[in-house]
Amino acid sequence: MPRAAEPETAAESAGAYRSRFTGALESLLAEKRFPKITIGDLVGRAHTSRRSFYEHFTSKEACLLALLKEAAESGSAQVSAAVDRSAPWQTQLRQLVTAWIGVVDARPAVMLSYLRDVPLLDTPLAASLNHDAYVNVVRTVSAGTEFRKSGGAALSRARAVILCGGLEKLAEDALRHGESVDAHLEEAVQAAILLAGSGELTSPELIPRPPESGTPG
């Protein structure tokens, strides 16, 4: 005799409802900007009620943060898992950048919302996001034994931020122009390799300074 299905727990039910709303929001973000999305749009797309929405979220901004948190957690885990830590450092960076671009191209509306909408949120709300999810992956990968042994340099936090910030800006520019980010993969990989190829920076004393104002060149 088939075993009866176990009843759904309250936590599972709540998680399913939250996923329904965040999924609806992601779908709507592909059609219009976040400020124009209403609670009515969300409950209509999720095929549920306002009461159900407010049982799980205090506002549409809270729903957006839940979506972005889920995307950052799943995306950074996917990128981390894509890197073969025993490979040469250039290969590891190629795998990392390729996986990151794949994550963005799979969910472009989420990336655009993160870049466009989060800066407009109240500071406490925006601060609750883990903005370092991908930065931490980059630093962990570059700190690996084989990465450094094969000639790569462990990236400082500043360099990891520059790398991730540059990739985000590239993604925003490509998506705004209706392009896939993958079209710029090779340039993104080469930029990452340049950042991680050496741990030493040119000494400030060796960088020519522009002439002071009023001083002949």
Side-chain angles (χ1 to χ4, degrees), residues 5-36:
E6 295 183 3
E8 188 179 55
T9 66
E12 289 171 336
S13 178
Y17 261 103
R18 288 174 67 87
S19 295
R20 183 186 297 186
F21 287 120
T22 55
L25 178 55
E26 183 170 356
S27 173
L28 288 164
L29 285 170
E31 301 170 8
K32 53 186 171 180
R33 296 286 297 273
F34 178 71
K36 294 185 177 181

Side-chain angles (χ1 to χ4, degrees), residues 100-177:
W100 186 90
I101 288 177
V103 167
V104 173
D105 276 342
R107 305 177 75 176
V110 173
M111 173 56 73
L112 282 177
S113 183
Y114 172 72
L115 296 172
R116 292 171 172 174
D117 301 320
V118 170
L120 303 179
L121 298 178
D122 291 339
T123 301
L125 281 173
S128 69
L129 274 176
N130 177 13
H131 297 278
D132 286 346
Y134 291 104
V135 169
N136 292 338
V137 172
V138 169
R139 296 198 69 193
T140 299
V141 168
S142 70
T145 301
E146 190 57 39
F147 191 98
R148 291 179 289 109
K149 186 187 297 184
S150 60
L155 270 68
S156 65
R157 173 175 169 77
R159 285 202 189 190
V161 168
I162 291 169
L163 173 56
C164 292
L167 288 173
E168 289 174 358
K169 189 63 180 177
L170 173 66
E172 181 182 21
D173 186 71
L175 295 174
R176 280 196 303 107
H177 289 88

Side-chain angles (χ1 to χ4, degrees), residues 17 21 39 42-43 48-63:
Y17 261 103
F21 287 120
I39 300 298
L42 277 168
V43 299
T48 184
S49 66
R50 285 177 177 269
R51 177 181 175 182
S52 293
F53 178 85
Y54 284 112
E55 285 176 350
H56 297 91
F57 297 105
T58 57
S59 64
K60 69 173 187 176
E61 288 78 12
C63 185

Side-chain angles (χ1 to χ4, degrees), residues 201-217:
L201 297 174
T202 303
S203 171
E205 290 77 12
L206 300 180
I207 301 176
R209 296 184 179 181
E212 296 181 5
S213 179
T215 303

